[in-house]
Amino acid sequence: MPHLFEPLNQRSVTFSNRIAVSPMCQYSSENGFANDWHLIHLVSRAVGGAGLVITEAAAVEPPGRITPQDLGIWEDAHIEMLARIVESLHRHGSVAGIQLAHAGRKASTATPWDGGGVLLESEGGWTAIAPSAIPFESESPTPKALSIEEIQNLIESFVNAARRSLEAGFDVIEIHSAHGYLLHEFLSPLSNQRTDEYGGSFENRIRFLCEVVQGVRNILPDQTPLWVRISATDWVSNGWDIEQSITLCSKLKSLGVDLIDCSSGGIVPGEKIPVGAGYQTSFSDRIRREAKIATGAVGMITAPEQADHIIRTGQADIVLIGREMLRDPYWTRRAAKQLRQSLSVPIQYDRAWK
């Protein structure tokens, strides 16, 4: 089996190792624009040696932001700074990825450090949208249920965001269909109670995501990998579960998806999630084996030996490191040293890594 520092090839893209910086919201944009904070945050992880660096969720339209401070890619003006970031990621040896997202009914909230509560329109917020008019929490405003025409417009918003991502130079496109955001809301019967072709049966509930994937794949060059992040289970009875995820991922593979980024939860408040070291790796393992598609493992992966074990035992093809990368942007270099793997060091830092 490969190990953590063996290259991974997907289409025409080669990742120098199996370590990716997971998308992590920074809530530091104005009108969706990336800025110097994003440049420093992302490029420092490339200098730190990660094979892949993925931006935080980039909203495909303004109402798709979680907070007013979210990153966006809904207009051409967003491309310039993102292209500068991509060029720097490439210069420092990392593949550049972007996550395309829509927050759905979990949109229009304050930043976490401002309490994270719902923002009313008088506070700079907006009306959230969803598959059905069901609020995320009982005290939350009721979201607007999408019409068929609005769903079609949103598919085009994802496609246009992917076009802009290509123009900015991104190597990997990831579609965010996890954590209770819009695409996940359509998958789960807990949030999708529609009676038209986008609700009810499993085939209808996956339709929106599949149409987004088809639209994006159709405009991507053959050499560009397409990933999808899913919540493999809602952790709630009668919700979305791992068996449905496996069936979905087989379908996504047939539509040209190259890797499933396996997370979980987020569809309703108060889920009882057994959080612990590597608690989601069983999902990436099962999906990889049963849907026969490459997977990424994410969630409470902190130790180099743990990450290497996930790869060596075939539980995933790549590991996505989140909070540990916030604590240590040079985690990849420390992991290489602990695992006795060679990893080139910027000449400016060479004297510290001998």
Side-chain angles (χ1 to χ4, degrees):
M1 297 297 295
H3 56 76
L4 189 62
F5 285 90
E6 185 168 319
L8 172 66
N9 297 309
Q10 280 198 333
R11 296 184 183 259
S12 69
V13 175
T14 298
F15 308 89
S16 61
N17 55 56
R18 307 298 181 100
I19 298 167
V21 177
S22 190
M24 292 178 284
C25 289
Q26 300 297 293
Y27 307 111
S28 299
S29 295
E30 185 175 339
N31 298 321
F33 284 89
N35 54 45
D36 285 349
W37 174 263
H38 301 91
L39 176 71
I40 294 166
H41 164 67
L42 295 168
V43 176
S44 63
R45 275 76 194 168
V47 174
L52 168 65
V53 178
I54 309 176
T55 70
E56 65 196 86
V60 300
E61 65 166 12
R65 293 172 293 172
I66 306 166
T67 76
Q69 290 76 34
D70 280 21
L71 189 67
I73 192 161
W74 64 78
E75 62 178 69
D76 291 348
H78 290 143
I79 295 171
E80 182 179 0
M81 186 60 176
L82 291 171
R84 181 182 169 199
I85 291 170
V86 168
E87 190 277 329
S88 293
L89 292 174
H90 289 162
R91 183 153 29 93
H92 294 289
S94 290
V95 170
I98 186 168
Q99 186 185 69
L100 307 181
H102 195 297
R105 68 178 184 173
K106 296 175 83 171
S108 188
T109 67
T111 60
W113 45 83
D114 288 325
V118 173
L119 289 177
L120 303 177
E121 291 190 32
S122 60
E123 301 169 314
W126 55 92
T127 300
I129 60 174
S132 303
I134 304 171
F136 176 65
E137 296 181 288
S138 58
E139 62 271 22
S140 300
T142 300
K144 178 185 179 297
L146 288 162
S147 68
I148 298 290
E149 181 181 3
E150 288 168 328
I151 291 171
Q152 296 304 310
N153 290 339
L154 279 167
I155 294 169
E156 194 61 25
S157 293
F158 273 94
V159 171
N160 289 334
R163 283 197 182 96
R164 295 186 188 102
S165 301
L166 292 175
E167 190 170 339
F170 285 100
D171 310 292
V172 175
I173 310 295
E174 177 171 276
I175 296 170
H176 196 354
S177 184
H179 301 162
Y181 299 125
L182 184 64
L183 292 170
H184 181 194
E185 291 165 20
F186 272 82
L187 298 180
S188 176
L190 299 176
S191 49
N192 183 350
Q193 296 181 9
R194 301 176 70 97
T195 57
D196 60 14
E197 61 263 44
Y198 288 96
S201 68
F202 171 82
E203 290 75 15
N204 285 353
R205 285 183 282 112
I206 70 170
R207 189 182 307 278
F208 185 23
L209 172 58
C210 289
E211 289 179 348
V212 169
V213 165
Q214 285 177 299
V216 171
R217 182 75 265 175
N218 284 343
I219 63 97
L220 294 184
D222 287 343
Q223 63 265 30
T224 302
L226 177 60
W227 293 14
V228 175
R229 172 169 276 192
I230 67 166
S231 281
T233 180
D234 288 340
W235 298 107
V236 178
S237 298
N238 301 315
W240 184 261
D241 57 31
I242 181 60
E243 284 74 23
Q244 293 175 84
S245 290
I246 291 166
T247 305
L248 168 66
C249 292
S250 294
K251 173 70 172 178
L252 294 178
K253 180 181 179 181
S254 73
L255 297 177
V257 171
D258 298 284
L259 183 141
I260 304 297
D261 179 355
C262 301
S263 192
S264 69
I267 197 67
V268 293
E271 300 153 311
K272 291 181 169 51
I273 301 176
V275 176
Y279 71 105
Q280 296 176 149
T281 56
S282 64
F283 303 135
S284 61
D285 186 16
R286 281 197 62 186
I287 289 170
R288 187 176 188 269
R289 287 185 290 105
E290 297 180 41
K292 301 188 185 330
I293 188 171
T295 61
V298 66
M300 299 289 284
I301 300 170
T302 58
E305 295 83 357
Q306 174 196 16
D308 191 44
H309 177 76
I310 291 168
I311 301 300
R312 286 184 183 272
T313 54
Q315 296 176 72
D317 297 272
I318 199 166
V319 294
L320 294 101
I321 311 294
R323 295 182 194 186
E324 195 65 16
M325 283 285 185
L326 296 182
R327 290 184 277 266
D328 180 6
Y330 302 101
W331 185 90
T332 304
R333 299 200 179 283
R334 179 164 56 84
K337 191 171 184 179
Q338 289 185 20
L339 297 172
R340 296 182 174 85
Q341 297 290 328
S342 61
L343 189 65
S344 62
V345 177
I347 194 168
Q348 299 92 331
Y349 289 1
D350 184 63
R351 62 183 177 273
W353 289 89
K354 287 181 177 177

